[in-house]
Amino acid sequence: MDQYAQRMYEMKLEDIYRSSSWIPDEISLPDFIALFPVEFKNGKAIRPDKPKDFDFDRETYLAIMVAFRQAFS
């Protein structure tokens, strides 16, 4: 597991959280980050699924996926 990539991903999630006009009103930062855990299979990070309990708009979800790809590519 790459600790640098993991931290970079979390920092990007923090940026998304702080730049959102509505997410901070709905959920705390630690809970937001916990919605997108990184799991590894054969040494490679697996893209997190869209949370079922929380409805994100398309733009926000795409920003999260871009953050994942930037951190783990």
Side-chain angles (χ1 to χ4, degrees), residues 2-20:
D2 186 354
Q3 293 294 329
Y4 174 76
Q6 178 76 28
R7 183 63 189 134
M8 185 172 146
Y9 176 59
E10 289 175 2
M11 287 175 28
K12 289 181 180 292
L13 288 177
E14 287 178 33
D15 290 342
I16 293 167
Y17 178 86
R18 295 186 197 293
S19 67
S20 173

Side-chain angles (χ1 to χ4, degrees), residues 59-70:
E59 184 176 319
T60 302
Y61 186 67
L62 287 176
I64 293 164
M65 293 300 99
V66 168
F68 176 83
R69 176 169 264 167
Q70 288 175 342

Side-chain angles (χ1 to χ4, degrees), residues 38-69:
V38 178
E39 296 179 10
F40 291 86
K41 184 175 182 180
N42 298 330
K44 291 186 74 175
I46 299 172
R47 181 178 58 92
D49 293 327
K50 190 172 185 178
K52 296 175 183 151
D53 299 338
F54 208 85
D55 190 26
F56 290 102
D57 57 71
R58 184 175 187 271
E59 184 176 319
T60 302
Y61 186 67
L62 287 176
I64 293 164
M65 293 300 99
V66 168
F68 176 83
R69 176 169 264 167

